[in-house]
Amino acid sequence: WDKSYIETTGYIIPTLFEVAEYLEEDRYKKSALKAGEWLLSVQNDDGSFSKIDTGKPFVFDTGQVLLGLNRLYKETADKRFFEAAKKASCWLMEQQESDGSWQKAAYNTQKHTYYSRVAAAMYEYAVMADDEAVKKSALKHIEWVLSNQRENGFFRYASFDIRIPAYLHTIVYTLEGLLDIYALTKQKTILDAVLKMGETLKKINLTREKVLCSQYNESFECINPEKCITGLAQWAGVALRLHAVTGDESYRFVAVTTLFYLKSKQIREGGILKGALSASIPFWGRYGAFDFVNWNNKFFCDSLMLLHDTTPSYEQEMWSRLSFMFHEGVVTKKLTKTDRAYIKNFDTFFSNYR
């Protein structure tokens, strides 16, 4: 086990509330409230939240905790959560660069378009508090994000480090933040930007990669064919949200097949790891090597709750259909060496019954 993770505790809280309602089990709500109390105890005096590895105030972590604080206030009307959210939002505004990005207290001291999730948390607070200054700050970041979308749909600065190709995790982070903002503003330019990238990922998923790759370059070339489990869980959720917005059944199709793959990787038995998902497939993959991370389950749960009207047989059928789309020669009259050996063994076995 690692240290208690401030960032992911924050954004797991909304999921816990959703699970409590979905399963009608109060223990998940109690867990969310307990997490909220802990977050109040670790907030810095200036409103920020710190990165657990360095102890330094961090923009992304503060933004992700803000998602939890917003939901906690909506659920409880407890003013402590509102005031904590207000302090966090004000600190985030203070850290913002003149172009709308964040850099000073950002990961690797670099600008990132996946900080759209920070802006989304700020905008959600601003709507709740009727705070125009925070709204303006959040939308300024979104404008910066949109200005960094390439013609092919890819967002520049979507990686942890500009020297490393982006993981699917942060690629989809960017889309999640934009979708969250769109849900609140209904700005068509934001949805158009999401669809520009979403359509490309969907096409890749349907025609090139049955399961999306772990890392891509800015030309959408697969740089790392491993599987980023976190990113796949997120992609399923984004695809389902885009299906809801557009009515395009192919988004639902890729969500179903992606979740079918993820279900096959979940640990079903044994001890404290029961239910866990490794960060990467293979287990030693570049993203979160040899780790079982809690945020995998957060995004997995989020997506599963959006897909609640399927059956195992239907999901199996969709996976099989996708497999045949990629391998036209699965069924053929041509006998391979293995086929001939199989038939020979059959002949030998049944000769005793002739």
Side-chain angles (χ1 to χ4, degrees):
W1 300 109
D2 204 343
K3 300 174 185 176
S4 297
Y5 204 165
I6 295 171
E7 171 203 333
T8 62
T9 298
Y11 68 50
I12 286 172
I13 285 172
T15 301
L16 288 171
F17 279 117
E18 293 295 332
V19 171
E21 182 177 350
Y22 187 83
L23 297 179
E24 298 181 348
E25 292 190 30
D26 197 51
R27 60 181 175 141
Y28 296 105
K29 181 178 179 179
K30 291 178 179 178
S31 181
L33 294 172
K34 186 176 181 180
E37 293 294 335
W38 178 72
L39 288 173
L40 291 179
S41 74
V42 297
Q43 186 173 29
N44 298 319
D45 291 340
D46 61 5
S48 67
F49 288 85
S50 297
K51 188 169 179 60
I52 58 172
D53 296 329
T54 65
K56 295 180 180 178
F58 208 58
V59 166
F60 193 73
D61 295 44
T62 301
Q64 303 320 285
V65 172
L66 182 55
L67 291 169
L69 294 173
N70 291 340
R71 184 61 181 266
L72 284 160
Y73 178 67
K74 290 177 183 178
E75 293 284 342
T76 68
D78 188 330
K79 284 289 186 179
R80 294 178 303 151
F81 297 124
F82 180 87
E83 291 302 321
K86 180 178 180 180
K87 288 174 64 178
S89 296
C90 290
W91 181 83
L92 288 168
M93 281 199 299
E94 292 168 2
Q95 305 307 309
Q96 196 170 29
E97 304 293 332
S98 59
D99 64 0
S101 67
W102 282 281
Q103 186 170 9
K104 291 189 292 290
Y107 193 56
N108 288 323
T109 325
Q110 297 175 13
K111 300 179 179 184
H112 305 282
T113 45
Y114 68 84
Y115 279 33
S116 60
R117 278 180 58 96
V118 176
M122 292 175 68
Y123 199 90
E124 182 184 31
Y125 161 77
V127 170
M128 189 171 67
D130 194 22
D131 191 322
E132 291 301 321
V134 176
K135 278 186 185 180
K136 184 177 178 180
S137 175
L139 291 177
K140 190 172 185 179
H141 179 71
I142 296 303
E143 290 173 7
W144 176 81
V145 171
L146 298 184
S147 74
N148 280 289
Q149 187 171 35
R150 291 166 54 94
E151 188 60 35
N152 66 355
F154 200 94
F155 288 93
R156 301 180 184 89
Y157 312 117
S159 63
F160 290 125
D161 190 313
I162 57 174
R163 297 164 295 183
I164 300 172
Y167 286 99
L168 185 63
H169 174 39
T170 51
I171 290 171
V172 184
Y173 256 164
T174 308
L175 296 180
E176 288 175 328
L178 291 173
L179 270 176
D180 288 346
I181 285 279
Y182 171 72
L184 295 169
T185 66
K186 301 302 180 184
Q187 289 187 15
K188 187 176 182 298
T189 54
I190 297 174
L191 179 60
D192 288 345
V194 173
L195 288 171
K196 194 172 185 178
M197 188 179 214
E199 286 292 317
T200 302
L201 287 174
K202 182 185 69 173
K203 183 178 179 181
I204 291 171
N205 209 165
L206 290 172
T207 63
R208 196 179 81 192
E209 297 156 15
K210 187 163 61 173
V211 180
L212 294 179
C213 286
S214 184
Q215 286 175 280
Y216 294 93
N217 64 16
E218 292 191 359
S219 297
F220 284 105
E221 295 171 327
C222 176
I223 300 301
N224 175 7
E226 298 166 354
K227 307 307 174 190
C228 173
I229 296 300
T230 310
L232 290 170
Q234 293 171 269
W235 167 236
V238 164
L240 287 168
R241 292 172 72 180
L242 289 177
H243 169 253
V245 171
T246 66
D248 184 344
E249 287 296 325
S250 58
Y251 276 117
R252 187 174 188 275
F253 178 76
V254 296
V256 169
T257 55
T258 299
L259 285 170
F260 184 82
Y261 172 82
L262 291 173
K263 289 177 182 180
S264 74
K265 305 305 176 187
Q266 187 179 34
I267 296 177
R268 301 298 180 88
E269 298 178 358
I272 58 174
L273 289 179
K274 184 178 180 180
L277 292 152
S278 63
S280 274
I281 298 293
F283 187 42
W284 53 87
R286 294 178 203 167
Y287 178 74
F290 303 103
D291 283 344
F292 292 93
V293 295
N294 56 45
W295 51 99
N296 274 352
N297 290 65
K298 176 261 188 309
F299 293 113
F300 188 46
C301 287
D302 287 345
S303 297
L304 289 173
M305 287 185 288
L306 292 174
L307 185 71
H308 49 74
D309 57 349
T310 66
T311 62
S313 60
Y314 172 80
E315 293 170 16
Q316 175 72 60
E317 180 186 346
M318 294 302 101
W319 179 261
S320 299
R321 183 183 299 179
L322 182 63
S323 299
F324 275 91
M325 288 165 60
F326 277 81
H327 304 286
E328 295 178 357
V330 170
V331 177
T332 175
K333 294 180 180 179
K334 183 179 179 180
L335 296 179
T336 66
K337 183 178 179 180
T338 302
D339 294 330
R340 288 192 293 271
Y342 186 73
I343 292 171
K344 183 178 179 180
N345 288 333
F346 247 80
D347 282 343
T348 302
F349 178 79
F350 284 108
S351 63
N352 297 324
Y353 297 92
R354 290 171 182 166

